[in-house]
């Protein structure tokens, strides 16, 4: 990858979800399809005991969905070998990996933890150098995206531990581009239900208070979930990709730029500064948010399953809700084939989302819904296996009794009418000295035939 042809990509969420497959493939294609050095920087979640599992799932996601072989730059702390932490040599290796990477990715975790480590290890200056030189593809998502502005949110401390809202000193990767902004991912989050979790779990009151502490010439740059902002460092164009918006907020007033929009970097600077934009944003291109179109039988196929009946579902929760609606409708229509198809698709969707690095994406809940579908389908199948003999048997017993009495009374014409009536329903009668035998002979399903006798 040559210097001066790089991309800086900021993702609001969903960085290793099926919704981002197409974008990740585009980013690798920007490298000519050949990333000699592809690095996952695990620092933001490096404090978690399951960090190895998270890194493993991320590597598998990029291998399967993008065809990208990656290495992990481990979270490292200089010194302290007595407690098992890597030493200075390991820190040098991490710095070298990040410096030389054609493609570098960092994602979820704690912004404050990442900033502390990166300041200590001087990784911030290496990341700023990548952006200033326009080198390679640098993808910063979720917690990592939160660190790239001149100010950053300590999300864990505020939302989880109840600390007073305050800004941290960020990496200021965007400062080299003339963008004095605080980046807030998960900008449109609504999972709080009865409480406001927008703006990366801050909510409006706390965001308003924090906004007062920002310099007049700065702004907040919000990135919605399952949305990305791509800055082409060679053409100075900014593209918003995905289902949501990029928001530039100044002193409580917001300008929303929808997914599918491309605008000059100079216009984004004007929006941040609060001056009148010089250029009207290009119209939204719906294709930017489309599902992955490649039939690869893997994550792409699962993503299509996630969105096929879900009205373009962009989250696991939306896909499950859409699947439930389809399943209920199929059950009401007694359409067993569609019921089974929905259950199979949902299993594929859950498998695709299992690679997501975000910890709480509703996987267990989704599996509970799937198990419920399977149980309902099994109940319907159990009833079906008893048919038609179960129902026909209860109907034919009195009918054959009536026919026997008619024959005994010599009313053979009426007895023949009974034979013709049951024959219209696929039941064939055979009279013997001991009585009458019946057989159901549905032509479309010869396996489901049965015979009974009525004396």
């Amino acid at each position: 990858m040559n210097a001066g042809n790089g991309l800086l990509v900021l993702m609001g969420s969903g960085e290793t979800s099926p919704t981002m497959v197409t974008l990740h493939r585009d980013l690798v294609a920007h490298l000519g399809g050949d990333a000699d050095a592809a690095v996952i920087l695990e620092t933001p979640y490096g404090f978690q005991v399951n960090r190895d599992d998270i890194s493993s799932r991320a590597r598998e996601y990029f291998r399967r969905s993008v065809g990208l072989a990656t290495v992990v730059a481990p979270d490292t702390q200089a010194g302290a070998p007595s407690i098992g932490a890597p030493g200075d040599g390991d820190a040098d290796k991490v710095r070298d990996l990040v410096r030389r990477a054609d493609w570098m990715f960092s994602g979820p975790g704690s912004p404050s933890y990442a900033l502390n480590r990166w300041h200590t290890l001087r990784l911030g200056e290496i990341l700023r150098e990548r952006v200033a030189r326009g080198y390679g593809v640098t993808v910063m998502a979720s917690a990592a995206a939160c660190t790239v502005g001149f100010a950053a949110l300590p999300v864990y401390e505020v939302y989880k531990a109840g600390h007073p809202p305050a800004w941290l000193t960020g990496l200021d990767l965007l400062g080299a581009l003339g963008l004095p902004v605080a980046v807030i991912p998960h900008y449109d989050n609504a999972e709080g239900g009865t409480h406001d979790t927008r703006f990366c779990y801050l909510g409006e009151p706390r965001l308003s208070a924090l906004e007062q502490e920002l310099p007049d010439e700065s702004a907040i740059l919000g990135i919605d979930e399952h949305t990305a902002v791509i800055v082409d460092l060679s053409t100075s164009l900014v593209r918003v990709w995905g289902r949501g918006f990029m928001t530039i907020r100044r002193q409580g007033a917001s300008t929303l730029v929808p997914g599918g929009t491309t605008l000059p970097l100079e216009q984004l600077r004007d929006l941040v500064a609060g001056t009148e934009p010089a250029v009207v944003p290009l119209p939204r291109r719906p294709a930017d948010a489309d599902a992955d179109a490649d039939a690869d039988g893997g994550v792409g196929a699962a993503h299509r399953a996630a969105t096929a009946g879900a009205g373009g579902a962009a989250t696991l929760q939306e896909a499950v809700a859409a699947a439930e609606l389809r399943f209920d409708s199929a059950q009401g229509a007694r359409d067993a084939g569609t019921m089974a198809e929905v259950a199979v698709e949902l299993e594929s969707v859950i498998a695709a989302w299992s690679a997501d690095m975000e910890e709480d994406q509703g996987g267990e809940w989704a599996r509970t819904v799937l198990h419920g579908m399977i149980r309902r389908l099994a109940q319907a199948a159990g009833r079906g296996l008893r048919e038609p003999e179960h129902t026909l048997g209860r109907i034919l017993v009195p009918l054959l009794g009536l026919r026997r009495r008619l024959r005994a009374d010599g009313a053979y014409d009426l007895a023949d009418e009974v034979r013709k009536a049951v024959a219209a329903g696929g039941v064939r009668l055979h009279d013997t000295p001991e009585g009458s035998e019946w057989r159901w002979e549905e032509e479309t399903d010869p396996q489901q035939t049965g015979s009974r006798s009525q004396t």
Side-chain angles (χ1 to χ4, degrees):
M1 182 72 186
N2 296 323
N5 193 30
L7 300 175
L8 174 62
V9 184
L10 310 178
M11 295 183 175
S13 79
E15 53 271 17
T16 51
S17 72
T19 59
M20 290 295 187
V21 168
T22 301
L23 176 56
H24 284 303
R25 290 177 177 176
D26 287 348
L27 299 179
V28 173
H30 183 79
L31 297 169
D34 182 20
D36 292 331
V39 174
I40 296 173
L41 185 56
E42 75 172 13
T43 310
Y45 58 88
F47 64 95
Q48 298 180 203
V49 295
N50 64 335
R51 71 179 187 179
D52 291 341
D53 176 63
I54 297 174
S55 293
S56 177
R57 284 189 283 123
R59 293 191 68 202
E60 179 64 10
Y61 171 86
F62 289 114
R63 185 192 68 79
R64 291 183 60 216
S65 65
V66 187
L68 185 64
T70 60
V71 298
V72 175
D75 179 38
T76 164
Q77 185 174 19
S82 61
I83 59 173
D88 291 327
D90 297 291
D92 289 339
K93 291 178 182 178
V94 169
R95 284 191 287 265
D96 190 51
L97 278 172
V98 174
R99 183 179 290 110
R100 294 186 300 104
D102 294 329
W103 176 96
M104 194 225 74
F105 169 89
S106 192
S110 166
S112 56
Y113 180 86
L115 284 169
N116 178 59
R117 290 298 181 95
W118 289 340
H119 283 313
T120 300
L121 299 173
R122 304 192 311 279
L123 273 173
E125 58 192 64
I126 294 174
L127 292 169
R128 284 191 292 274
E129 179 189 4
R130 287 178 62 89
V131 175
R133 291 177 56 207
Y135 182 84
V137 173
T138 302
V139 183
M140 304 289 274
S142 296
C146 202
T147 70
V148 304
F150 78 94
L153 286 174
V155 178
Y156 270 53
E157 291 80 355
V158 174
Y159 185 61
K160 298 290 187 180
H163 289 193
W167 294 110
L168 300 175
T169 300
L171 298 176
D172 200 17
L173 303 189
L174 296 172
L177 305 179
L179 298 173
V181 295
V183 175
I184 301 182
H186 297 278
Y187 201 72
D188 64 339
N189 182 277
E191 68 188 55
T194 58
H195 65 284
D196 188 359
T197 54
R198 293 173 299 163
F199 321 130
C200 205
Y201 310 97
L202 276 180
E204 177 63 37
R206 286 182 291 193
L207 179 63
S208 296
L210 279 174
E211 193 174 21
Q212 302 305 312
E213 300 178 16
L214 294 176
D216 291 341
E217 67 276 10
S218 67
I220 289 168
L221 192 152
I223 307 174
D224 285 353
E225 297 189 325
H226 301 277
T227 304
V229 175
I230 304 131
V231 182
D232 191 317
L233 301 172
S234 61
T235 64
S236 294
L237 290 176
V238 180
R239 178 184 173 200
V240 183
W241 189 100
R243 70 168 188 171
F245 293 84
M246 173 181 70
T247 300
I248 297 89
R249 172 167 167 154
R250 287 181 48 82
Q251 301 172 359
S254 296
T255 300
L256 277 66
V257 182
T261 300
T262 299
L263 67 159
L265 178 59
E266 185 59 37
Q267 183 185 2
L268 182 55
R269 293 191 188 107
D270 290 341
L271 290 170
V272 169
T275 59
E276 188 69 23
V279 182
V280 177
L282 299 178
R284 179 171 183 150
R285 295 191 304 275
D288 282 352
D290 281 351
D292 177 32
D294 295 326
D296 59 9
V299 174
H303 173 59
R304 288 189 298 278
T307 59
T315 68
L316 176 59
Q317 289 83 352
E318 291 175 4
V320 172
E324 284 189 287
L325 288 175
R326 290 182 62 206
F327 190 91
D328 291 345
S329 176
Q331 185 174 22
R334 303 179 68 81
D335 184 351
T338 298
M339 291 168 67
E341 178 182 324
V342 171
V344 171
E345 287 181 356
L346 181 56
E347 191 278 331
S348 296
V349 170
I350 294 170
W353 278 93
S354 66
D356 196 358
M357 296 168 73
E358 296 281 3
E359 290 186 73
D360 185 17
Q361 291 296 333
E364 289 302 318
W365 164 72
R367 277 184 281 273
T368 299
V369 173
L370 175 60
H371 296 165
M373 288 181 179
I374 294 172
R375 284 192 291 269
R376 289 164 61 186
L377 186 56
Q379 291 171 355
R383 290 191 297 270
L385 289 173
R386 295 194 301 268
E387 303 298 343
E389 289 86 350
H390 178 70
T391 300
L392 286 176
R394 290 184 296 173
I395 296 173
L396 287 171
V397 167
L399 282 176
L400 294 181
L402 172 62
R403 183 170 178 271
R404 186 177 62 250
R405 290 196 299 273
L406 291 172
R407 286 167 58 87
D409 292 341
Y412 296 108
D413 290 344
L414 291 177
D416 284 342
E417 290 299 322
V418 174
R419 176 193 289 273
K420 292 177 183 178
V422 297
V427 176
R428 299 292 179 264
L429 298 182
H430 177 62
D431 295 320
T432 70
E434 292 78 21
S436 297
E437 294 181 350
W438 63 269
R439 180 182 297 275
W440 183 58
E441 298 179 350
E442 185 182 41
E443 295 180 356
T444 58
D445 194 354
Q447 298 299 320
Q448 293 189 22
T449 60
S451 63
R452 298 292 186 273
S453 62
Q454 173 68 41
T455 59

